């Protein structure tokens, strides 16, 4: 990582603080998708960049300006997890800034958030196939193998 001075963000998508009070920020408008971190001691630093795929295989939306980050969570190892809709995937970002896809949504679905608790990941997904789909919650194990899919129907207040 390297410290930044007087940085101007391109397109902030989401931000979150971790349990140590570090602020994490995604910017889809900087260096083809960048994850920043900020702390009072270190200031603003680039943690990882080039995180959005240039030519995604099956994006939720074809238009590049709709291909963006949705959420930040943390793995059971404490590493940042980024959700994005270009590849409809969750990326785990290592301490050296490298990115690994750990989860990919089914066609027409995209992860918008991820949360880890008690040995399971809870992934919120929304979808689009000429009409809006979802939302739904996908529960996985620590290897991101699907255990349950819960569909949410707000019109009936029902979780299926």
């Amino acid at each position: 990582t390297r410290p930044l001075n007087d940085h101007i963000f391109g397109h902030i998508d989401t931000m979150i603080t971790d349990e140590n009070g570090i602020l994490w920020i995604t910017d889809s408008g900087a260096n083809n998708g960048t994850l920043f971190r900020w702390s009072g001691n270190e200031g603003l630093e680039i943690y990882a960049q080039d995180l959005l795929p240039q030519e995604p295989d099956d994006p939720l939306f074809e238009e590049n300006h709709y291909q963006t980050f949705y959420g930040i969570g943390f793995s059971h190892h404490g590493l940042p997890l980024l959700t994005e809709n270009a590849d409809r995937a969750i990326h785990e970002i290592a301490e050296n800034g490298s990115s690994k896809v750990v989860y990919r949504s089914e066609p027409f679905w995209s992860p918008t958030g991820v949360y880890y608790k008690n040995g399971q990941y809870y992934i919120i997904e929304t979808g689009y196939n000429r009409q809006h789909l979802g939302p739904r919650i996908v529960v996985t194990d620590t290897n991101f193998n699907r255990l349950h899919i819960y569909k949410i129907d707000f019109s009936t207040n029902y979780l299926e």
Side-chain angles (χ1 to χ4, degrees):
T1 60
R2 63 183 172 94
L4 299 175
N5 295 318
D6 302 322
H7 178 73
I8 298 174
F9 288 96
H11 181 227
I12 292 177
D13 304 294
T14 188
M15 61 180 75
I16 190 171
T17 56
D18 65 19
E19 60 188 22
N20 298 314
I22 307 263
L23 177 64
W24 297 86
I25 305 164
T26 59
D27 186 343
S28 60
N31 302 317
N32 196 46
T34 301
L35 176 63
F36 294 92
R37 70 178 173 188
W38 182 87
S39 71
N41 296 334
E42 303 293 324
L44 185 67
E45 299 177 307
I46 292 176
Y47 189 81
Q49 55 191 0
D50 290 319
L51 297 172
L52 289 172
Q54 288 294 303
E55 296 181 24
D57 291 331
D58 190 21
L60 195 60
F61 300 106
E62 294 292 330
E63 302 88 346
N64 285 342
H65 64 276
Y66 289 126
Q67 297 173 7
T68 187
F69 299 109
Y70 277 120
I72 305 171
F74 297 96
S75 73
H76 61 286
H77 303 294
L79 296 173
L81 297 170
L82 306 183
T83 64
E84 52 88 353
N85 71 353
D87 266 344
R88 304 177 342 274
I90 297 175
H91 301 260
E92 183 178 62
I93 313 302
E95 290 180 12
N96 68 4
S98 65
S99 171
K100 175 176 80 168
V101 172
V102 293
Y103 177 86
R104 189 174 313 276
S105 294
E106 296 171 344
F108 308 114
W109 291 93
S110 180
T112 57
V114 59
Y115 179 74
Y116 175 78
K117 183 155 177 86
N118 296 333
Q120 295 181 324
Y121 288 100
Y122 298 84
I123 301 164
I124 185 114
E125 293 185 327
T126 58
Y128 188 78
N129 183 15
R130 299 188 188 184
Q131 63 181 1
H132 292 284
L133 304 172
R136 69 184 190 177
I137 298 170
V138 178
V139 181
T140 73
D141 62 16
T142 56
N143 294 314
F144 289 93
N145 297 308
R146 289 180 181 93
L147 302 174
H148 306 286
I149 297 177
Y150 298 101
K151 298 176 184 172
I152 302 169
D153 184 348
F154 288 114
S155 65
T156 62
N157 248 356
Y158 185 70
L159 181 65
E160 182 181 316

